[in-house]
Amino acid sequence: MNRVIITVVGKDTVGIIARVCTYLAENKINILDISQTIVQDYFNMIMIVNVEQSNKDFSVLVSELEETGKDIGVVIKAQKEEIFNRMHRI
């Protein structure tokens, strides 16, 4: 399985989840797990997704997700799971 960690952070507005999930569905990216919280006016979401079925190169997915974030006023980051785990190991 080709898993990716996606994080979304920014001021809470209507449609953040819808916009991100629409992008994922259009690119055949399956959501395996999702968690989101709102602390005061700040939105925070982390997703674990499977990108095996997507036809796009990972670097293109990363760029397009970043652009989607800019369009809706949040910061979206995507990292391959193995890199995310190595960076966050104690």
Side-chain angles (χ1 to χ4, degrees):
M1 190 176 309
N2 196 357
R3 293 167 36 137
V4 171
I5 310 299
I6 298 173
T7 58
V8 182
V9 178
K11 276 287 219 186
D12 187 34
T13 60
V14 174
I16 296 171
I17 296 171
R19 188 75 182 274
V20 174
C21 290
T22 297
Y23 174 84
L24 297 177
E26 288 173 349
N27 287 282
K28 299 180 183 174
I29 298 170
N30 188 39
I31 299 168
L32 303 172
D33 202 354
I34 182 172
S35 174
Q36 65 93 32
T37 58
I38 299 170
V39 177
Q40 293 185 10
D41 291 334
Y42 295 95
F43 178 87
N44 183 35
M45 179 169 62
I46 185 167
M47 308 171 93
I48 301 172
V49 300
N50 180 358
V51 297
E52 279 181 337
Q53 300 298 315
S54 181
N55 295 325
K56 290 188 178 176
D57 185 66
F58 180 70
S59 63
V60 173
L61 292 173
V62 169
S63 295
E64 289 180 352
L65 281 167
E66 287 176 354
E67 282 303 311
T68 299
K70 288 177 186 174
D71 289 347
I72 57 177
V74 297
V75 175
I76 302 177
K77 297 291 182 188
Q79 291 181 296
K80 292 186 178 183
E81 182 182 42
E82 58 270 14
I83 296 195
F84 183 89
N85 286 338
R86 287 192 177 121
M87 287 178 58
H88 294 90
R89 195 175 1 172
I90 297 177

